[in-house]
Amino acid sequence: MDLSFFKGSGYEICLTAVYLINFLIVLNLIFRDKRNIETTVAWILILSTIPPLGFVLYLSFGRGISKDNMFKIKEAEDKIIKSSILDTHVKLGHANKFEPNIVEHRDMIYALANSNNAHFTDNNSVDIYSECNGFFDSLLDELRQAKKYINIQFYIFKDDDIGNQIIDILLAKAKEGVEVRLLYDAVGSRLFSDKSIIKLKKGGVKVGSFFPSFMKIVNFNLNYRNHRKIVVIDGKIGFVGGNNIGDEYLGKDSKFGNWRDTHLKLTGDCIRDLNIRFILDWRYTTKEDLDLNKYFNYDCYKTTSTNSHSNNIGIQIVSSGPDITELDEIKYGYIKMIQNAKKYVYIQSPYFILDKTLTDTIKIACLSGVDVRIMIPSKPDHPFVYWASYSYAGELLKFGAKLYTYDENSFLHAKTIVMDDAVCSIGTANMDIRSFELNFEVNAFIYSSEISQNQKSIFENDILNSRQITLDLYNSRSTSVKVKESISRLLSPVL
């Protein structure tokens, strides 16, 4: 039998198959996938212009995940969450007890409660760490004091110097009888060695890997990452913010220099809501059946504040992720803050890639006389993402926004937004499409003049270490920069 025809046509057959599959993918994107228009158009462009490479990129980064709620909750959990939301509505019905800024922003609290089951608590205290050393010192100290349990979750967990310090504490605590659970993202923590993981498991620490990779190489959910950073200790202390576990966050990587991030330490009833977020992630990942009363009973969370700030601060813990397609809850919170602003909005984000809704919202705020200030890094950790961010931020200069690039010897990784000395949000979500639609994120929305003024002061202090990009300076950028921006912006919906 003569097989020469098939050998000679092998390339053509494969290429035809790729074109056919790409065409079917395009049809699926148009008629079945419910993605935003920008993302759909970007993928159609990639699949059409570079078919073989586009096919590989789509398999790696473009496939959707099951859109029913991944973190399905038991009836017992559902009752707890629903009772919390009812409690929120009752509290807001007696808003005369609260400071004026909470009364003024009740609509925002309702919106996040109704869209995200984000329970509002008002007996919390907050410490903001704008220096990474301060955060890690506090984290290590609180871990050492754990008596009952430690729930710890990070997108990146490395077993370098700071990572090994935490590993040693977790092993010591497990030996003392403390329940210790460590959850990490498989892709973000790809440098987390098997040796350390085995050591933790043998030492009694329960370890979970979110969307695990096959042999740490192949991951079929590469595009959907758990970007949350949560620590809950004994139901008394909680941490959430931008820092991961790695020496670069302590400024030990010469590529980035000093690392500028923002993290929170929380106490009060909001810790239960942070813990619920961890438990849902943990149970989805490990399938462990937990005694919910141990973690969700309010009496477990009563504590006397040792923080330097007042202990009557209103907080909502808001999470978002691609498991619920109809809602981008943290983005809604950002939009609501910008819409409600009358005086100022200050935004910090390492990645600044906006959809049309957010772009128009910020433009309207600028045109309304609101002092809009945006701070991004001065150096890229992901070049395409950086130049896309520079393009979106630069566009807003024409409408009166002020743009700052942070210290060229440092890397800005903080994810913060504050408005009108009233409300601020600090957490894991960047101001970009990936955080809103693809990553699993968590933020604390804080309703407090004291904390908002504190965050405003941090931003203003960061301006002293920043370069202001004026409209004239932006318009004078080189042709090469303009080309980088154009290409990056075209691809920005899928970055």
Side-chain angles (χ1 to χ4, degrees):
M1 183 177 179
D2 186 6
L3 300 178
S4 60
F5 170 78
F6 293 101
K7 289 179 181 177
S9 304
Y11 173 78
E12 289 84 355
I13 292 172
C14 290
L15 191 61
T16 301
V18 168
Y19 272 103
L20 179 59
I21 293 171
N22 280 12
F23 177 69
L24 294 175
I25 292 172
V26 168
L27 291 179
N28 184 69
L29 284 168
I30 295 172
F31 295 108
R32 294 195 62 189
D33 268 14
K34 303 300 182 184
R35 308 188 188 202
N36 66 57
I37 298 299
E38 293 92 343
T39 302
T40 299
V41 170
W43 276 119
I44 291 174
L45 180 66
I46 291 170
L47 289 164
S48 302
T49 56
I50 47 173
L53 179 58
F55 175 67
V56 173
L57 291 172
Y58 185 82
L59 285 181
S60 301
F61 301 103
R63 296 181 309 108
I65 57 174
S66 176
K67 297 303 182 183
D68 57 335
N69 192 336
M70 293 166 54
F71 306 103
K72 291 182 178 177
I73 55 180
K74 288 184 175 180
E75 184 179 354
E77 289 166 292
D78 192 42
K79 287 181 179 178
I80 291 169
I81 292 171
K82 286 181 178 177
S83 67
S84 297
I85 300 308
L86 178 61
D87 178 60
T88 292
H89 284 263
V90 170
K91 282 182 179 178
L92 294 176
H94 299 279
N96 58 310
K97 299 188 304 179
F98 305 135
E99 61 176 290
N101 62 11
I102 294 180
V103 178
E104 187 176 346
H105 297 290
R106 274 189 300 176
D107 58 339
M108 180 174 169
I109 298 172
Y110 275 123
L112 292 174
N114 292 330
S115 67
N116 191 244
N117 290 325
H119 180 212
F120 174 79
T121 56
D122 61 344
N123 64 333
N124 307 291
S125 60
V126 177
D127 277 334
I128 301 179
Y129 297 102
S130 58
E131 296 291 337
C132 295
N133 282 300
F135 159 67
F136 282 107
D137 288 345
S138 180
L139 175 62
L140 294 173
D141 182 58
E142 296 294 350
L143 288 173
R144 292 187 186 102
Q145 296 182 52
K147 298 292 188 293
K148 298 178 181 178
Y149 67 84
I150 296 171
N151 292 331
I152 182 168
Q153 171 181 0
F154 282 94
Y155 171 63
I156 297 173
F157 196 106
K158 296 181 180 178
D159 45 357
D160 49 16
D161 183 42
I162 186 61
N164 278 313
Q165 288 185 57
I166 292 174
I167 287 171
D168 289 344
I169 295 173
L170 298 183
L171 288 169
K173 286 292 148 182
K175 189 174 182 180
E176 293 173 12
V178 175
E179 285 188 12
V180 182
R181 293 178 178 83
L182 170 62
L183 178 61
Y184 64 91
D185 182 85
V187 173
S189 301
R190 59 192 175 276
L191 300 180
F192 191 16
S193 71
D194 290 335
K195 180 180 178 181
S196 291
I197 293 170
I198 292 170
K199 179 181 176 182
L200 283 162
K201 290 180 177 178
K202 285 184 176 179
V205 176
K206 297 179 181 180
V207 181
S209 174
F210 189 88
F211 280 169
S213 302
F214 177 67
M215 298 181 66
K216 288 204 169 186
I217 300 174
V218 180
N219 195 294
F220 296 106
N221 292 294
L222 186 63
N223 209 30
Y224 300 96
R225 309 317 318 164
N226 196 320
H227 197 237
R228 294 167 181 149
K229 298 97 177 170
I230 297 171
V231 180
V232 177
I233 301 167
D234 294 343
K236 307 294 185 184
I237 300 290
F239 292 91
V240 65
N243 285 290
N244 288 290
I245 304 301
D247 284 347
E248 65 266 35
Y249 294 84
L250 287 162
K252 297 181 180 181
D253 188 330
S254 58
K255 175 184 176 182
F256 297 108
N258 179 55
W259 193 279
R260 169 66 187 86
D261 222 320
T262 302
H263 222 94
L264 298 175
K265 179 166 76 172
L266 308 172
T267 67
D269 285 348
C270 71
I271 303 303
R272 186 184 78 149
D273 302 310
L274 195 61
N275 214 11
I276 287 175
R277 178 67 273 157
F278 174 89
I279 294 298
L280 291 176
D281 286 5
W282 176 262
R283 285 186 47 218
Y284 171 79
T285 303
T286 67
K287 307 301 185 288
E288 181 183 1
D289 192 15
L290 298 173
D291 177 10
L292 299 181
N293 288 327
K294 181 175 182 178
Y295 302 98
F296 295 168
N297 187 331
Y298 255 136
D299 292 337
C300 300
Y301 297 88
K302 301 301 180 184
T303 183
T304 302
S305 172
T306 58
N307 289 359
S308 58
H309 300 296
S310 58
N311 61 353
N312 61 343
I313 294 170
I315 294 177
Q316 284 177 293
I317 301 297
V318 181
S319 57
S320 63
D323 53 322
I324 303 178
T325 57
E326 294 83 6
L327 300 172
D328 300 321
E329 299 93 325
I330 292 177
K331 184 181 84 169
Y332 293 169
Y334 287 170
I335 290 172
K336 194 66 176 172
M337 288 180 68
I338 298 165
Q339 288 176 335
N340 284 5
K342 301 294 188 294
K343 300 175 182 176
Y344 74 86
V345 175
Y346 294 170
I347 300 168
Q348 289 177 313
S349 180
Y351 317 118
F352 192 78
I353 298 177
L354 310 180
D355 60 12
K356 182 172 174 51
T357 303
L358 256 172
T359 301
D360 288 346
T361 301
I362 295 176
K363 288 178 180 178
I364 291 170
C366 292
L367 294 172
S368 302
V370 176
D371 179 11
V372 177
R373 303 189 186 192
I374 300 159
M375 189 178 294
I376 60 175
S378 62
K379 63 173 70 176
D381 63 336
H382 303 295
F384 280 110
V385 178
Y386 177 78
W387 291 115
S389 299
Y390 199 67
S391 170
Y392 281 100
E395 178 185 344
L396 296 172
L397 290 173
K398 295 181 293 185
F399 294 84
K402 298 181 179 70
L403 172 61
Y404 303 88
T405 56
Y406 189 70
D407 184 0
E408 63 182 17
N409 297 314
S410 305
F411 184 72
L412 177 70
H413 194 248
K415 305 99 165 44
T416 73
I417 176 170
V418 58
M419 49 82 69
D420 287 2
D421 291 351
V423 183
C424 68
S425 177
I426 298 171
T428 71
N430 300 302
M431 186 71 73
D432 73 344
I433 294 172
R434 168 164 291 278
S435 279
F436 298 146
E437 298 185 3
L438 299 176
N439 287 344
F440 298 90
E441 307 280 6
V442 62
N443 274 38
F445 283 78
I446 304 169
Y447 305 85
S448 164
S449 297
E450 177 188 359
I451 301 303
S452 296
Q453 289 170 9
N454 189 354
Q455 176 55 38
K456 177 186 179 184
S457 296
I458 291 170
F459 187 99
E460 291 173 340
N461 186 64
D462 287 337
I463 288 177
L464 302 178
N465 298 313
S466 301
R467 180 191 188 197
Q468 184 171 0
I469 307 298
T470 63
L471 183 58
D472 287 342
L473 187 61
Y474 179 75
N475 287 336
S476 66
R477 67 201 188 281
S478 67
T479 300
S480 65
V481 170
K482 292 178 182 178
V483 170
K484 290 176 184 177
E485 284 187 21
S486 298
I487 296 173
S488 299
R489 183 158 181 150
L490 189 64
L491 298 175
S492 63
V494 299
L495 291 177

